[in-house]
Structures are given as structure tokens and as C-alpha cells.
């Protein structure tokens, strides 16, 4: 029902219709400098990277003299962005001491850059809204839903608005929300039909013209989007493009009668399977000889090859609140109209489509982009600078390539080896994402494994291209991927880890070279360092070990 962690975390490289090749400065840095430190340090560009022997430094937290003549001349002042300490370049070098909280990192810059927003360089923060923060308890049991382990927990749009300051201070660019559209009202069979699951993370859209009441009201959504824009953050929705099977609650609420009512309890959502059945048998009493429920969404709505006129379902005549009209039109035209309406209404900045087709994606992109430009014209005081509309099709294999920065797979590598591997892997606009939740997940954050969490985050946040942060990554949220945000645990080690994330995200926000710059290793026998450089910006990252 809900998208998998891999699909939601990393399926985005983004940028159907708006991706472009990163602008880099292709001029090579000199392999040997004329300054006195050239005999101990030299730069190696990406093309020569295969010959580089990447060390795991053992200097630890002590003053280190770094050769910086490839970037800065004698007399220039260089700052370690992590600590704010400064040093003047002398004889092609600077001497600085890493913070003990950094794990041995120096983030060297000579200036901060005014970086205009570009989707291809953005940092996305992906939120399952229901699991983030409960801002309005009155909507927790909408449509008769009850809290269960696999059900809605109360997070909503009002809760997102209350946490916008937290997100802005964290330093992310884009808030990527699980779909806020109205989902089926009852449970659907979980994996293998062994447990009931509510669509708290999407994947079971009922009505594209309404927000799900568990998520909140249109006024709350408008306040959220406007407030996010005021803080410089964009808002993107996940949107399903195929309808769900009904829940028993929907069938009862919309007066869709079974073939045999004796099979059902008075409250249909309480149905239990008989011996030899499981929860996947829940619709048996409703299906006709063709295995369909005639009043529900017809199979054509889920058929990617369907391009003729199809009718909207009959059950909408019994749905008290909807803007779905009883019409017969081309499916792609109807879906495009429904989705575009939200863009015109709120000025959301993009959509991430699941189960779409190239034809539907193209229609949505054209229509929604026009609606977005019109919204900006009428809401100039709300619109962000350099704003364009984003459409991502998760089914389009050319538009993304999954990559995971995984602690589980990289425990045997030190930070320098880990980062080097990431930086020299051939990429086609990948979106990197930390995944704490492979298989059974990791051990609870502790003093013993804190450095693994910190250094994996460093590798992610200093990598090239787009980034996707799953909610709670920055505080090592406990449990499985869709567990509730750990607001009550933000002390001690988690607070320290979050502070580390903030420093690196701020460094990234100030330097376009990190996301689209040429990568060059500075070879040295005592520390690991690399340069990222483009036409307008340059930085150096140094690692000394702990």
C-alpha cells in the first residue's frame, strides 16, 4: 500500500523536464604546485582517481597544517566553517584544529556564496506526515478510523506548520510530503493478508479532489505552504495516479451492497476471515462474476494503456463531500485537471508521481507548470525567487537512479574511503539518501556507534548532486522507517548528531561547488582532503581521523 522505503527515499534524481548537466569548471588543477608544500601534497582529479591510495588518517583532533595553494594564495584568509576559526595562508598552507564534534573534519572556505535555488542541487526532506507531529487531535479519528500499530497516529498539516522553524533551522530546501489526498477510509490487507493496514503514508487514493481529513483542512494546508515559502522552503507532494481497491468502510459509507449481507457484521470494517481465509478475502461478498465491484473505480482507471473515455465511478453520487463530477472523459485529462487544481489553489512547488505513464506525466507537467506560473502572477508576494514547477515520475527509469548511503554496508570503511568511493562512482544525477533501516535496521544510537552515524551523515551531506533526508535521519530516529518522529528523544547524543547535520547542511547551502563541482583528491601521507570546484565557487574538505 505505502511506497517502499527505497521508492520513497531514493527514487528521485529529479528532474523530469528540468534536469540539466551540472556546470563544472573542467580546467584541471596542477598536479604539482611550486610552493614548498608540493613535495608532500598533490591534487588528483577524478579521471586519475583509480591510482589514488586512500588512507585512513590517524592524526586525530590536533592542529594540522594543510596545503591549500591549489585554491588560495598566500595572504588570503581561510575559515573552517565547522568551528568558525580562521587562518591566513602562509607558504601555501594553513594550520587549523578540527572540532572534536566533527569527527576530524575541517570544512575550508574563503567566502560564502549566494547560491540561487536549483532543483538539481536541492536538499529534500521526506516526511510521512502522519508520523511527524500531531498538531490537531480533533482529526485523529476521521472517517471512523481507530489508532492501530499499522494505522494513523495523528500527524497532520497543522503539526507540520508547528515544526517549520525546526525544519528551517535544520537547513533543508524542499519539504517532500506523503500524499495529503483523501485515502480509503478503512483498512486494507497488509503483506500476505496477515494484518490490516491503513494508508497513513498514501498508496490508496480515494478522491483526488479532497484532502484527507486526517491530514487537515484546506485552510491549514494554505497556511502551511505560505509559511514554508516565507521561510524559503518549497513544498512537494507525493501523488498516486491509480485508484485503490475499496475498504469495507468505504463500501458501507457509500451504500455499495454485497451479494450476501450475511457474510458481514453490522459494522463492515470489523469483518474477520473464516478458517482457510485471510484478509485478502475481504471483498469476496461484493465482487460480480468478473471479479469486479461495478460501482467502484473500473479496471480502466488502473490500466496504463487505457486512452479512451471512461466514466467516473458511480459511488461518488453517494459521497457527501467531493468535487468529482459524473463525466465520461479521457482518464489522463481528468487526473491532470484534479492534480492541477491543487497547484492553482495553494502554489505547491511540485509533485512526485507514482504509477504514472509518460503521457500522463507530460500532461501534468504542462498543465501544472502553467497553473504554477499563473499562481505566481497572482501571488507575487508569496512566490519564491527562481521558482519553477517540478514533476518527478517514479516510473521513469531515465529520471532517477537509486543510491543509498548505508551504514550497514560501510562499517569496514573509514570516512575517507567511504567518501572517496561515493565521489568517484559514476552518477547520472542520482539522489543520495541515508537509509538507517535496511532489513532489521541498526542498533539504537549509543556512545559505541555514534561515530558511525555521524560519519555516514558526513559522507551523505558532502556528496554531489541532490540529497534526500528521510524524516528523523538527523536524530537517528528509532524503529522502522515509518516510526513516529522522535521529538521526545532530542537530547544528549541525538542533539549532538543533529547539531552536526546542521553545520554540514549550512556549509552545503553556502557552496554550489559541493553539489556540482569537480572532485579532486589532495594526496597526503597524514590526512585526507578533497577539493570541489566549479566556475563560481571552491571548497576543501579535510579529514584527520579521530
Amino acid at each position: 500500500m505505502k511506497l517502499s522505503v527505497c521508492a520513497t527515499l531514493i527514487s528521485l534524481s529529479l528532474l523530469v523536464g528540468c534536469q540539466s548537466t551540472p556546470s563544472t569548471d573542467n580546467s584541471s588543477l596542477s598536479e604539482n604546485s611550486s610552493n614548498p608544500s608540493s613535495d608532500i601534497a598533490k591534487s588528483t582529479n577524478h579521471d586519475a582517481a583509480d591510482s589514488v591510495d586512500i588512507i585512513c588518517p590517524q592524526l586525530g583532533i590536533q592542529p594540522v597544517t594543510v596545503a591549500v595553494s591549489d585554491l588560495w594564495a598566500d595572504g588570503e584568509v581561510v575559515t573552517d566553517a565547522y568551528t568558525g576559526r580562521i587562518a591566513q595562508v602562509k607558504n601555501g598552507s594553513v594550520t587549523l584544529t578540527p572540532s572534536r564534534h566533527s569527527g576530524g573534519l575541517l570544512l575550508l572556505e574563503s567566502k560564502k556564496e549566494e547560491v540561487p535555488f536549483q532543483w538539481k542541487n536541492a536538499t529534500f526532506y521526506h516526511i510521512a506526515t502522519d508520523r511527524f507531529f500531531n498538531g490537531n487531535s480533533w482529526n485523529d479519528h476521521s472517517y471512523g478510523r481507530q489508532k492501530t500499530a499499522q494505522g494513523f497516529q495523528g500527524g497532520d498539516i497543522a503539526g507540520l506548520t508547528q515544526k517549520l522553524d525546526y525544519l528551517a533551522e535544520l537547513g533543508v530546501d524542499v519539504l517532500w510530503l506523503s500524499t495529503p489526498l483523501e485515502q480509503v477510509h478503512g483498512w486494507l490487507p497488509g503483506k500476505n493478508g496477515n494484518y490490516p493496514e491503513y494508508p497513513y503514508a498514501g498508496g490508496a487514493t480515494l478522491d483526488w479532489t479532497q484532502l484527507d481529513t486526517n491530514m487537515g483542512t484546506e485552510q491549514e494546508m494554505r497556511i502551511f505552504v505560505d509559511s514554508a515559502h516565507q521561510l524559503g522552503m518549497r513544498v512537494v507532494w507525493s501523488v498516486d495516479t491509480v485508484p485503490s481497491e475499496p475498504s469495507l468502510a468505504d463500501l458501507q459509507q457509500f451504500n455499495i451492497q454485497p451479494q450476501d449481507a450475511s457474510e458481514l457484521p453490522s459494522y463492515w470494517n470489523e469483518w474477520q476471515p473464516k478458517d482457510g481465509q485471510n484478509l485478502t478475502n475481504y471483498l469476496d461478498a461484493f465482487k460480480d462474476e468478473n471479479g469486479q465491484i461495478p460501482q467502484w473505480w473500473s479496471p480502466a482507471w488502473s490500466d496504463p494503456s487505457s486512452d479512451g473515455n471512461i466514466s467516473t465511478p458511480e459511488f461518488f453520487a453517494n459521497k457527501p463531500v467531493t468535487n468529482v463530477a459524473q463525466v465520461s472523459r479521457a482518464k489522463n485529462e481528468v487526473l491532470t485537471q484534479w492534480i492541477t487544481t491543487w497547484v492553482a489553489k495553494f502554489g505547491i512547488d511540485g509533485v512526485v508521481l507514482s504509477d504514472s505513464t509518460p503521457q500522463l506525466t507530460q500532461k501534468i507537467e504542462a498543465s501544472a507548470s502553467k497553473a504554477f506560473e499563473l499562481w505566481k502572477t497572482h501571488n507575487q508576494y508569496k512566490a519564491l525567487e527562481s521558482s519553477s514547477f517540478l514533476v518527478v515520475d517514479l516510473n521513469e527509469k531515465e529520471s532517477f537512479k537509486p543510491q543509498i548511503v548505508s551504514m550497514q554496508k560501510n562499517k569496514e570503511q573509514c570516512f575517507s574511503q567511504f567518501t572517496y568511493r561515493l565521489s568517484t562512482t559514476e552518477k547520472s544525477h542520482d539522489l543520495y539518501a541515508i537509509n538507517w533501516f535496511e532489513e532489521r535496521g541498526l542498533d539504537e544510537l549509543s556512545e559505541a556507534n555514534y561515530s558511525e552515524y555521524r560519519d555516514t551523515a558526513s559522507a551523505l551531506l558532502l556528496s554531489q548532486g541532490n540529497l534526500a533526508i528521510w524524516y528523523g535521519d538527523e536524530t537517528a530516529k528509532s524503529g522502522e522507517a515509518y516510526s513516529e518522529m522522535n521529538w521526545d528523544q532530542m537530547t544528549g547524543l541525538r542533539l549532538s548528531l543533529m547539531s552536526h547535520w546542521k553545520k554540514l547542511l549550512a556549509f552545503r547551502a553556502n557552496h554550489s561547488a559541493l553539489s556540482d563541482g569537480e572532485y579532486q583528491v589532495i594526496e597526503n601521507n597524514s590526512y585526507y582532503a578533497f577539493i570541489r570546484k566549479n566556475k563560481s565557487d571552491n571548497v576543501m574538505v579535510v579529514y584527520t581521523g579521530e
Side-chain angles (χ1 to χ4, degrees):
M1 180 186 357
K2 57 178 179 284
L3 296 175
S4 70
V5 174
C6 282
T8 55
L9 277 179
I10 53 187
S11 316
L12 189 72
S13 116
L14 297 171
L15 304 170
V16 179
C18 58
Q19 184 64 280
S20 59
T21 302
S23 170
T24 59
D25 183 352
N26 292 320
S27 60
S28 340
L29 294 179
S30 169
E31 255 195 35
N32 292 291
S33 170
S34 59
N35 72 69
S37 61
S38 63
D39 60 336
I40 62 169
K42 63 180 180 178
S43 63
T44 304
N45 64 24
H46 183 113
D47 296 332
D50 289 343
S51 63
V52 178
D53 183 21
I54 301 301
I55 65 168
C56 292
Q58 302 295 321
L59 279 177
I61 309 304
Q62 62 175 299
V64 58
T65 299
V66 181
V68 297
S69 59
D70 283 316
L71 292 183
W72 301 298
D74 280 7
E76 288 193 73
V77 174
V78 175
T79 303
D80 171 24
Y82 201 99
T83 62
R85 297 174 185 144
I86 63 173
Q88 190 173 45
V89 182
K90 295 179 181 179
N91 298 323
S93 301
V94 296
T95 300
L96 288 161
T97 303
S99 165
R100 65 183 179 86
H101 299 293
S102 72
L105 284 179
L106 292 170
L107 309 177
L108 302 185
E109 62 185 11
S110 62
K111 61 181 178 64
K112 291 180 172 62
E113 182 190 22
E114 289 292 331
V115 183
F117 177 84
Q118 297 184 71
W119 286 110
K120 66 185 179 72
N121 298 336
T123 299
F124 288 71
Y125 190 86
H126 196 172
I127 304 171
T129 303
D130 175 71
R131 302 307 169 92
F132 197 63
F133 189 70
N134 191 343
N136 262 347
S137 58
W138 68 266
N139 61 20
D140 290 357
H141 303 291
S142 299
Y143 316 114
R145 293 167 176 157
Q146 300 300 314
K147 283 189 177 181
T148 65
Q150 296 297 323
F152 286 83
Q153 300 300 314
D156 48 32
I157 299 302
L160 290 178
T161 302
Q162 293 174 33
K163 294 299 183 180
L164 280 174
D165 285 344
Y166 168 86
L167 295 166
E169 290 171 6
L170 183 61
V172 297
D173 301 313
V174 183
L175 306 180
W176 175 10
L177 309 187
S178 58
T179 182
L181 300 180
E182 185 177 355
Q183 304 295 292
V184 297
H185 296 173
W187 57 263
L188 295 172
K191 187 177 180 180
N192 300 322
N194 293 328
Y195 57 87
E197 185 173 29
Y198 285 84
Y200 59 86
T205 300
L206 169 69
D207 189 342
W208 277 265
T209 72
Q210 300 296 313
L211 297 182
D212 195 289
T213 306
N214 265 89
M215 297 296 101
T217 65
E218 290 191 7
Q219 180 62 12
E220 288 170 332
M221 179 63 77
R222 183 172 290 105
I223 291 171
F224 166 70
V225 175
D226 289 349
S227 299
H229 286 167
Q230 288 174 2
L231 292 169
M233 295 179 288
R234 287 156 172 80
V235 176
V236 169
W237 289 4
S238 289
V239 177
D240 305 305
T241 62
V242 297
S244 170
E245 287 193 320
S247 70
L248 291 172
D250 302 310
L251 297 176
Q252 187 167 26
Q253 289 169 16
F254 305 142
N255 197 30
I256 299 176
Q257 295 300 315
Q259 308 291 333
D260 182 2
S262 66
E263 298 291 318
L264 296 167
S266 57
Y267 181 45
W268 295 356
N269 206 51
E270 295 177 348
W271 175 86
Q272 294 293 323
K274 297 178 179 179
D275 290 343
Q277 293 182 326
N278 63 26
L279 294 179
T280 60
N281 297 102
Y282 78 115
L283 294 178
D284 289 357
F286 293 86
K287 293 180 178 179
D288 62 16
E289 62 274 10
N290 298 316
Q292 305 300 322
I293 301 175
Q295 302 95 322
W296 199 250
W297 299 95
S298 70
W301 284 95
S302 302
D303 183 357
S305 65
S306 174
D307 57 4
N309 288 353
I310 54 178
S311 298
T312 48
E314 296 175 16
F315 76 83
F316 280 106
N318 296 325
K319 189 173 185 291
V321 181
T322 185
N323 290 322
V324 174
Q326 296 293 309
V327 297
S328 179
R329 288 172 55 196
K331 175 183 68 175
N332 286 356
E333 291 181 7
V334 176
L335 285 169
T336 298
Q337 178 187 334
W338 289 339
I339 294 169
T340 298
T341 298
W342 296 113
V343 181
K345 186 173 290 188
F346 300 132
I348 61 172
D349 301 277
V351 291
V352 179
L353 305 174
S354 61
D355 299 313
S356 187
T357 64
Q359 296 80 12
L360 176 57
T361 298
Q362 186 176 20
K363 275 185 173 293
I364 291 173
E365 185 169 24
S367 179
S369 295
K370 289 180 181 178
F372 186 67
E373 291 302 317
L374 185 60
W375 178 86
K376 288 196 299 181
T377 299
H378 293 150
N379 297 273
Q380 295 182 21
Y381 65 99
K382 294 181 179 181
L384 293 170
E385 293 183 6
S386 305
S387 55
S388 60
F389 195 78
L390 173 72
V391 177
V392 178
D393 181 350
L394 296 184
N395 281 8
E396 179 51 64
K397 301 303 181 185
E398 298 302 318
S399 71
F400 68 90
K401 179 182 177 183
Q403 293 285 333
I404 298 178
V405 178
S406 167
M407 287 173 58
Q408 292 283 44
K409 293 181 180 178
N410 293 283
K411 285 186 176 181
E412 302 305 316
Q413 293 180 308
C414 66
F415 170 80
S416 52
Q417 295 170 333
F418 190 8
T419 304
Y420 177 76
R421 182 178 62 79
L422 286 176
S423 299
T424 55
T425 300
E426 290 300 322
K427 297 183 285 292
S428 56
H429 311 306
D430 302 339
L431 181 73
Y432 278 120
I434 277 189
N435 179 9
W436 300 143
F437 303 104
E438 290 184 347
E439 299 176 354
R440 297 181 181 178
L442 297 179
D443 295 332
E444 183 78 8
L445 179 66
S446 66
E447 292 279 0
N449 63 21
Y450 176 83
S451 62
E452 296 173 12
Y453 278 90
R454 180 199 59 215
D455 293 348
T456 307
S458 298
L460 169 81
L461 299 175
L462 295 173
S463 63
Q464 190 176 27
N466 301 106
L467 299 182
I469 301 169
W470 188 250
Y471 73 101
D473 277 352
E474 71 277 15
T475 54
K477 178 170 67 70
S478 303
E480 52 90 34
Y482 287 92
S483 61
E484 293 185 66
M485 183 65 177
N486 55 341
W487 298 110
D488 58 348
Q489 296 180 332
M490 290 188 185
T491 59
L493 291 177
R494 286 188 166 83
L495 195 61
S496 179
L497 182 63
M498 182 172 63
S499 176
H500 182 73
W501 277 72
K502 286 182 178 180
K503 287 179 182 292
L504 269 67
L505 282 168
F507 184 59
R508 186 177 188 86
N510 288 327
H511 295 288
S512 62
L514 271 176
S515 57
D516 67 12
E518 182 183 79
Y519 171 78
Q520 295 169 310
V521 175
I522 305 300
E523 293 187 67
N524 187 283
N525 294 326
S526 57
Y527 60 80
Y528 165 75
F530 65 86
I531 288 170
R532 284 210 182 274
K533 179 180 179 180
N534 62 22
K535 292 180 179 179
S536 63
D537 183 41
N538 54 61
V539 295
M540 179 183 288
V541 176
V542 180
Y543 176 61
T544 65
E546 282 190 289

